[in-house]
Amino acid sequence: MSLSAIRAESRPLVITGARIVDPKSGLDAVGSVVVADGLIRDVARGAAPGLPDGATVIEARGKALLPGLIDMRVFVGEPGAEHRETFASAGQAAAAGGVTTIVTMPDTDPVIDDVALVDFIARRARDTAAVNVLPMAALTKGLKGREMTEFGLLGAAGAVGFTDGRHSITNALVLRRALTYARDFGALIMHHPSDPDLVGSGVMNEGETATRLGLPGIPREAEIIMLERDIRIAALTGGRYHAAQISCAASLDVIRRAKKRGLAVSCGVSATHLALNERDVGPYRTFYRLSPPLRDEDDRLAMIEGIADGSIDVIVSSHDPQDVDTKRHPFAEAADGAVGLETLLAAALRLVHNGEASLASVVRALSTRPAELLGLPSGRIAAGAPADLILVDLERPWICEAEKLHSRSKNTPFEGARFEGRVLMTLVGGRTVYKDSEA
Amino acid sequence: MTRENPTLTARPPAFAHRHLLGIEGLTPPEILTLLDLAEEAVDISRQVEKKKAVLRGRTQINLFFEASTRTQSSFELAGKRLGADVMNMSVGSSSVKKGETLIDTAMTLNAMNPDILVVRHHAAGAVHLLAQKVGCSVINAGDGAHEHPTQALLDALTIRRHKGGFGELVVAICGDILHSRVARSNILLLNALGAQVRCVGPSTLLPKALDRLGVEIFTDMKSGLRDADIVMMLRLQRERMDGSFVPSVREYFHFFGLDQEKLAFAKPDALVMHPGPMNRGVEIDSAVADGAQSLIREQVEMGVAVRMAVLEALSAHLPNRPGAA
């Protein structure tokens, strides 16, 4: 379906008989949703109270209607590496994965550290992407970790937060000033806590697997120590701090303690880290090379616990398209990163199917909490909210095939993986941007 | 039509691999098969007529992404003694800098139809990656800090010729275990054959979870070498002794350099080995290196024999074998 065709859709839409899950309001019941003019007009238990004139009715018995996913960590190749991913291809991948909003990272060429570039992304994404694209701008100019960017002007231009993406701020004073200054604008600072000195030449989790493979390891302390430092600076400054991704059980303890103290601290985990561990690296498979690295099984189980009890706020895809030019190398020389927009929901739903977390807690981490952290009106199913909705068959089995992914890069760690739960339809602002061909 | 069941009539191949990528994945009988073949190669190599024809007409390319004199010449000689046409290619980091990937290089060579590729690369796993992309047999001549299987095999051959076997033997591997592919391959091989393996070195040069590989760990030479039958020294690169992993050469030699005094902690008939090239006065004292207990020169001779054995074992699985279907 072409974008113009999608835009032409303007008739009211009623989805009936679906299990509506909205963690924000605590709703989890069979009901109906009325969509018109891009917004959710009405939400009712049972049948819709009255059908608007000329409404299209979608009978969705046995399916789940969820708020569209909001993915807080997405790397897109545009600008600078369009051969890996564009807003158009990332948008298609997102739509197919049930992600209605992507938050893009500033690690592009050029780096997104200027008002004109934020503006460029907004316009470019509006013209080419099927889903909402919200840029995060660089925290420091050129991602160099030295001088902070114009938080006020960048925020006004549309930046929803500030981060140095894959880069960590090693200078504690820079982070202190950034968090202090950001507080005046209520801006969210997202950081990748990973001490580059402790990481050294490390390429995977330090431990038995790395030792057997003869690969230099990354100790958990590279993450834990920097996270502990960050939390202290957050406490010192009162700024809003978000750890982009954590991967270790001990990091979860750090976050729990900080939250107990009432600090404005939050964190994320990637769906890949919820599903896989370091053993999946197997015989040097570079698609499993990630930053932070896949840790061991105890860490993975701790991350799941964090989602189940809400101490980890968000699940991200950490979608990072890489091509053969960066992945088809010996493990130690390959780039980090894996695509994940299209497997985000299915990988997260494994927790639900395994009885490890409730559907509500998973949806909260995929949509409700990201919206709250970013101050978005979406992430909920309530009258007046944008009609960013996904219809999901929670039970439908499917097998991930890299070649069928919409992303321009095929570096998925889930090639051949069996999933349960498939997106049937994705609405962004009331427009149907994806419809499963078998639905 | 009747057909003989090949599994009943033919002996299963003693070495059923197309590549030799590591000691990992080899069974003890397979290792012993290679050692037995190597014994024959030792005899051949000591004759005036040193040639065998098992690789006649075959092309062997030695593809070295990392400089090496002894391993490369050892493979070259082994191939030539078996009748192969051997070509040496030293690919420095230059073509990598030009943007050509390992895979590109491998595909280029593959198009020249070699039968055997002998590969050394500075990155762990590089040889595995390459083996997936080419059509010929691949031998790992050392990949990063991962494996160096022919070194472990030649060490095992040397040990067996002197000690008769491996059960009950205490082998102390000393020095830079962290960066050593020789250590990893030896740990795997010696454990498989029933020896008791120890690793001795400063903690900065011992990898995490090393004990999970089935070795005992010591951080001082006195207890590590006590009652050892074999003392295997590893090379320590000079750039790792400038304060990054150990403070200085002299401090390292003082605590971990093998001299007569430290060797005296081991059994009186203990034998000393070193994969070479040695740093005399760093990890090993010249008097020990050249002393009566040293097997270091013999290791070099066994190196050629073991590589002949590996080439011969793999030749049974090369395509277009005369007489093969």
Side-chain angles (χ1 to χ4, degrees), chain A residues 396-411:
Chain A
R396 191 156 122 207
W398 62 286
I399 294 172
C400 177
E401 291 167 77
E403 281 312 309
K404 292 193 178 166
L405 296 178
H406 294 75
S407 178
R408 211 170 258 199
S409 295
K410 311 294 180 191
N411 55 311

Side-chain angles (χ1 to χ4, degrees), chain A residues 201 206-216 219 221 279 283-286 324-325 327-333, chain B residues 24 101-104 107 121-126 128-129 132-133 143-146 184 188 207-210 212-213:
Chain A
S201 57
E206 184 172 271
E208 184 185 347
T209 309
T211 293
R212 283 186 187 280
L213 292 172
L215 291 171
E221 286 69 17
R279 305 227 164 196
Y284 302 100
R285 293 189 290 196
T286 56
V324 288
D325 59 338
K327 279 293 191 185
R328 218 170 62 162
H329 290 287
F331 196 87
E333 293 169 3
Chain B
E24 190 176 16
T101 66
L102 168 67
I103 303 295
D104 292 335
M107 295 317 287
H121 196 279
H122 49 84
H128 279 80
L129 178 63
Q132 291 164 15
K133 308 287 176 187
D143 64 324
H146 179 227
R184 278 174 186 74
L188 292 168
K208 266 276 161 91
L210 180 60
R212 300 290 295 273
L213 272 56

Side-chain angles (χ1 to χ4, degrees), chain A residues 60-345:
Chain A
R61 195 190 313 255
K63 310 294 190 286
L65 187 68
L66 312 177
L69 312 191
I70 300 169
D71 189 343
M72 282 181 67
R73 190 169 162 87
V74 176
F75 297 89
V76 179
E78 196 170 348
E82 286 82 356
H83 64 293
R84 289 184 203 155
E85 194 86 287
T86 59
F87 290 117
S89 62
Q92 281 167 1
V99 179
T100 51
T101 299
I102 61 175
V103 176
T104 57
M105 297 296 102
D107 313 36
T108 47
D109 183 13
V111 169
I112 309 305
D113 60 359
D114 189 89
V115 170
L117 291 162
V118 169
D119 198 49
F120 162 78
I121 291 181
R123 280 184 291 111
R124 185 83 184 134
R126 183 196 61 208
D127 293 347
T128 62
V131 303
N132 304 310
V133 175
L134 302 176
M136 272 209 188
L139 180 63
T140 65
K141 290 173 189 163
L143 307 176
K144 289 190 162 54
R146 290 197 289 269
E147 303 152 40
M148 63 179 141
T149 54
E150 299 160 318
F151 296 168
L153 293 174
L154 289 164
V160 292
F162 300 90
T163 180
D164 271 4
R166 297 181 184 88
H167 303 258
S168 300
I169 309 288
T170 50
N171 186 326
L173 180 60
V174 170
L175 187 68
R176 178 189 178 174
R177 293 220 174 108
L179 273 164
T180 306
Y181 187 71
R183 199 184 50 193
D184 297 347
F185 296 95
L188 183 70
I189 300 297
M190 182 163 100
H191 192 220
H192 174 54
S194 173
D195 183 327
D197 292 323
L198 273 172
V199 169
S201 57
V203 296
M204 73 172 292
N205 184 42
E206 184 172 271
E208 184 185 347
T209 309
T211 293
R212 283 186 187 280
L213 292 172
L215 291 171
I218 301 172
R220 291 176 180 77
E221 286 69 17
E223 173 177 306
I224 302 161
I225 290 173
M226 194 161 260
L227 187 63
E228 284 181 324
R229 180 204 72 170
D230 289 1
I231 301 287
R232 286 187 185 276
I233 296 173
L236 174 68
T237 59
R240 292 174 62 214
Y241 173 86
H242 179 79
Q245 267 182 267
I246 62 168
S247 65
C248 319
S251 299
L252 183 58
D253 293 338
V254 175
I255 292 287
R256 279 179 176 148
R257 279 200 302 274
K259 290 189 167 185
K260 218 169 168 182
R261 287 176 62 194
L263 299 176
V265 162
S266 54
C267 73
V269 66
S270 89
T272 315
H273 286 78
L274 293 172
L276 306 173
N277 67 28
E278 59 171 6
R279 305 227 164 196
D280 290 300
V281 169
Y284 302 100
R285 293 189 290 196
T286 56
F287 288 3
Y288 297 76
R289 185 178 159 168
L290 307 172
S291 175
L294 291 169
R295 302 286 183 185
D296 74 13
E297 182 62 3
D298 289 343
D299 292 305
R300 187 184 77 88
L301 294 175
M303 294 302 102
I304 290 173
E305 210 186 285
I307 291 299
D309 70 12
S311 37
I312 296 178
D313 297 82
V314 306
I315 303 173
V316 296
S317 68
S318 218
H319 181 83
D320 193 351
Q322 298 288 340
D323 199 6
V324 288
D325 59 338
T326 49
K327 279 293 191 185
R328 218 170 62 162
H329 290 287
F331 196 87
E333 293 169 3
D336 291 319
V339 292
L341 278 168
E342 281 161 272
T343 47
L344 173 63
L345 178 65

Side-chain angles (χ1 to χ4, degrees), chain B residues 43-249:
Chain B
D43 295 339
I44 293 168
S45 295
R46 287 179 180 177
Q47 295 166 9
V48 175
E49 168 64 53
K50 296 183 175 61
K51 285 262 188 182
K52 230 179 144 178
V54 290
L55 291 184
R56 193 168 58 203
R58 299 292 190 181
T59 303
Q60 171 189 336
I61 299 182
N62 296 337
L63 179 59
F64 278 60
F65 292 88
E66 198 181 68
S68 154
T69 345
R70 60 178 66 208
T71 306
Q72 187 167 332
S73 47
S74 183
F75 269 110
E76 181 178 357
L77 206 50
K80 284 179 171 165
R81 284 185 183 165
L82 296 179
D85 294 315
V86 184
M87 184 176 94
N88 288 317
M89 274 199 62
S90 296
V91 191
S93 47
S94 60
S95 53
V96 177
K97 278 182 193 133
K98 278 182 215 152
E100 189 176 54
T101 66
L102 168 67
I103 303 295
D104 292 335
T105 310
M107 295 317 287
T108 306
L109 285 178
N110 197 45
M112 301 177 193
N113 296 319
D115 298 289
I116 299 168
L117 268 183
V118 178
V119 185
R120 168 169 289 189
H121 196 279
H122 49 84
V127 185
H128 279 80
L129 178 63
L130 201 140
Q132 291 164 15
K133 308 287 176 187
V134 298
C136 59
S137 280
V138 174
I139 299 174
N140 184 357
D143 64 324
H146 179 227
E147 283 228 47
H148 189 358
T150 56
Q151 178 70 43
L153 287 163
L154 77 90
D155 289 341
L157 180 64
T158 312
I159 292 170
R160 193 174 75 168
R161 285 168 69 92
H162 285 267
K163 298 292 185 186
F166 299 91
E168 310 296 309
L169 278 192
V170 176
V171 181
I173 304 175
C174 310
D176 184 0
I177 313 285
L178 181 64
H179 300 101
S180 178
R181 50 190 171 222
V182 175
R184 278 174 186 74
S185 287
N186 264 306
I187 290 167
L188 292 168
L189 188 152
L190 293 165
N191 269 335
L193 296 185
Q196 198 182 320
V197 185
R198 297 176 182 173
C199 287
V200 191
S203 293
T204 45
L205 293 175
L206 298 172
K208 266 276 161 91
L210 180 60
D211 56 316
R212 300 290 295 273
L213 272 56
V215 300
E216 271 187 284
I217 296 166
F218 296 87
T219 52
D220 76 285
M221 291 288 271
K222 188 169 183 179
S223 48
L225 262 51
R226 183 173 298 134
D227 299 324
D229 297 282
I230 304 288
V231 181
M232 200 179 275
M233 300 307 296
L234 298 174
R235 175 182 168 77
L236 178 61
Q237 288 180 6
R238 283 186 179 269
E239 61 267 25
R240 290 175 181 144
M241 286 174 287
D242 56 2
S244 50
F245 290 89
V246 293
S248 66
V249 172

